[in-house]
Amino acid sequence: SPVVADGIVRFVLHDHQAVSVRGFGAWDGWAEPGRQALETEPGLWEATLPRPAPGEYAYKLLRDGATWICDPANPVRVADGGGNWNSLLRLRP
């Protein structure tokens, strides 16, 4: 995660404890309500967005409306300026 194909970016989270998951990122200024993830099978959450312009975009996942987490499937991280980390989406032209 993320997977980029056919003009879509797809984020996947394996979390059997989550009740809801949303994705937020710099591609739209961290705008509410974020990208709602759907539980495609028990414990497997997927959120998609149209591919943004080439560049680097920090992002995080919000679990159950209360807990911010980095994408555990993406080891590329960047400091968030508040002592924590964001995941990093890199899109090439």
Side-chain angles (χ1 to χ4, degrees):
S1 183
V3 176
V4 181
D6 300 323
I8 300 288
V9 179
R10 183 171 58 100
F11 302 92
V12 178
L13 175 67
H14 294 271
D15 189 329
H16 289 277
Q17 313 312 317
V19 174
S20 68
V21 176
R22 291 186 287 153
F24 290 83
W27 52 78
D28 65 0
W30 302 84
E32 288 282 347
R35 306 300 296 192
Q36 182 66 49
L38 301 175
E39 191 174 21
T40 59
E41 59 184 69
L44 181 63
W45 298 86
E46 294 186 19
T48 62
L49 73 136
R51 182 189 168 120
E56 292 188 343
Y57 300 92
Y59 71 97
K60 272 190 179 162
L61 304 172
L62 181 62
R63 181 177 49 212
D64 300 337
T67 305
W68 290 101
I69 60 172
C70 287
D71 184 345
N74 181 358
V76 182
R77 306 248 164 100
V78 61
D80 70 0
N84 294 304
W85 298 96
N86 290 326
S87 296
L88 189 63
L89 169 64
R90 289 184 173 138
L91 296 173
R92 306 216 187 296

